[in-house]
Amino acid sequence: MGYRTGIVNLTVSILLYHIPYHKKDQIETDEKGNLAMWMIYAFLSALFAGITAILAKLGIKDIDSNLATAVRTLVVVVFAWGIVFLVGSQTTVADISGKSLLFLFLSGLSTGLSWICYFKALQIGDINKVVPIDKSSTVLSMVLAIAFLQEPLTANKVLGMCAIAAGTYLMIQKKDSAQKEAPNRLWLIYALLSALFAALTSILGKVGIENVESNLGTAIRTLVVLFMAWIIVLATRKGKEIKNIEQKSWLFLVLSGLATGLSWLCYYRALQDGQASLVVPIDKLSILVTVLFAYVFFKEKLSKKSMVGLTLIVCGTLLLLIVF
């Protein structure tokens, strides 16, 4: 199954990104409700992000999460730059403005900082308190897009954000109250910073990807993320554990890296044409893919409360696409 997934990912990437990009090629939403091209890319981003989680679940065991992330990011970099050379966009590097390069760099830096703060918060805090705060980045991204990118605030966005926020909260399982509390409140600061940097990643990426071939823009920011990922590994002294990674784990690390690469390429292509306040929540529908695959392959079932939460997230996201 893993080999077939890898082949499908590569085939889709070749078909999807070998098509030259032109503004006139963008599919507009018509009266029949056909999806705009940016929506298609946003949904593909969610699909590949969901597959990434499943591939990691299937084969990555007993590996430090920071090391696995760093190795996977290396695969993403190789894959992303391979796509760049496939479509020939490397010739436009010289045409990228200083502003775009700056924001692409800041976007990658925000991703790395978000990871650092997230794992630090998990290390010293209660996971069931850290995760909901980190997941609030979805709504925070929408708020920042409306505030700083002047994206319109409509009734459907307000209702959608409320539904997504409520659904995210319900998806988090409460921890047994008998368990020990975190020794201090420092975890809260790290968790809030994680959400903030995650939200800034989308906003900065939206600005940086403008007037830049989307594949090339994604490849450039992955270099920054790669640097940040390995900084984490070196800081935690986990690099030496790379020799202990089994062959099967290597396979799934590579496949999950390819899926991550496809997700990022689709995500930033969607950001290039779509509103960040719409693209971000659609991308987060990857949770639906993950839940579905988890049920099929691992027989994992959601609690009633989690099912209600998932339904709210999906409905809230779809509500964003309805203008009234």
Side-chain angles (χ1 to χ4, degrees):
M1 189 279 294
Y3 289 103
R4 291 199 298 271
T5 303
I7 292 173
V8 169
N9 286 353
L10 288 174
T11 301
V12 171
S13 68
I14 292 173
L15 292 176
L16 192 60
Y17 292 100
H18 197 60
I19 301 174
Y21 170 72
H22 298 288
K23 286 286 185 180
K24 64 181 180 181
D25 291 334
Q26 182 180 351
I27 300 175
E28 300 294 338
T29 304
D30 59 22
E31 295 179 355
K32 296 181 180 179
N34 293 328
L35 292 180
M37 183 62 80
W38 68 264
M39 292 185 193
I40 295 175
Y41 282 110
F43 280 114
L44 283 174
S45 173
L47 172 63
F48 290 124
I51 292 175
T52 295
I54 296 302
L55 288 171
K57 176 76 172 181
L58 283 170
I60 302 175
K61 297 179 180 179
D62 302 320
I63 302 176
D64 176 73
S65 60
N66 294 328
L67 178 60
T69 298
V71 172
R72 187 166 57 244
T73 305
L74 180 60
V75 176
V76 175
V77 168
V78 173
F79 174 75
W81 280 98
I83 295 298
V84 166
F85 282 93
L86 178 65
V87 301
S89 60
Q90 76 278 2
T91 59
T92 64
V93 172
D95 299 327
I96 301 177
S97 67
K99 176 185 175 181
S100 293
L101 283 175
L102 173 62
F103 278 92
L104 286 173
F105 172 81
L106 291 176
S107 176
L109 187 63
S110 292
T111 300
L113 289 173
S114 178
W115 288 350
I116 292 174
C117 293
Y118 179 66
F119 289 116
K120 184 64 176 178
L122 286 178
Q123 185 180 38
I124 62 177
D126 185 338
I127 186 172
N128 292 295
K129 294 179 180 178
V130 173
V131 174
I133 296 174
D134 178 70
K135 292 300 181 183
S136 67
S137 62
T138 301
V139 176
L140 182 57
S141 295
M142 298 175 68
V143 173
L144 290 177
I146 293 169
F148 295 102
L149 300 180
Q150 284 76 53
E151 294 184 359
L153 176 61
T154 58
N156 62 306
K157 283 187 179 181
V158 174
L159 293 175
M161 282 190 287
C162 291
I164 292 171
T168 299
Y169 176 79
L170 290 176
M171 284 291 293
I172 306 302
Q173 294 297 310
K174 292 295 184 182
K175 190 175 182 180
D176 190 346
S177 58
Q179 288 186 294
K180 188 178 179 179
E181 291 287 334
N184 57 60
R185 286 291 191 177
L186 190 58
W187 66 268
L188 179 60
I189 297 175
Y190 282 112
L192 289 171
L193 286 174
S194 172
L196 175 61
F197 286 126
L200 286 175
T201 294
S202 301
I203 305 304
L204 294 169
K206 170 70 175 178
V207 177
I209 209 73
E210 291 179 355
N211 303 316
V212 178
E213 201 278 324
S214 61
N215 300 314
L216 179 60
T218 303
I220 290 174
R221 70 175 298 279
T222 57
L223 290 175
V224 182
V225 178
L226 177 67
F227 176 77
M228 293 294 295
W230 280 101
I231 285 293
I232 298 172
V233 170
L234 294 177
T236 55
R237 300 180 179 180
K238 296 294 182 179
K240 60 183 179 181
E241 295 182 12
I242 195 170
K243 62 182 180 182
N244 299 325
I245 300 177
E246 299 178 354
Q247 184 175 3
K248 178 182 178 181
S249 295
W250 273 111
L251 171 64
F252 282 97
L253 276 172
V254 171
L255 290 179
S256 62
L258 292 176
T260 300
L262 282 169
S263 178
W264 285 5
L265 288 168
C266 290
Y267 180 68
Y268 285 97
R269 178 65 178 271
L271 273 181
Q272 194 168 49
D273 292 327
Q275 296 179 25
S277 57
L278 299 180
V279 173
V280 172
I282 292 176
D283 174 69
K284 297 304 180 182
L285 284 179
S286 59
I287 189 175
L288 184 61
V289 179
T290 301
V291 168
L292 177 61
F293 276 77
Y295 175 77
V296 172
F297 292 103
F298 308 112
K299 308 303 179 185
E300 294 182 1
K301 298 181 180 180
L302 293 177
S303 65
K304 291 182 179 179
K305 184 174 68 174
S306 294
M307 184 63 72
V308 172
L310 180 61
T311 302
L312 282 173
I313 291 174
V314 174
C315 291
T317 301
L318 295 178
L319 185 62
L320 297 175
L321 307 180
I322 302 175
V323 180
F324 56 84

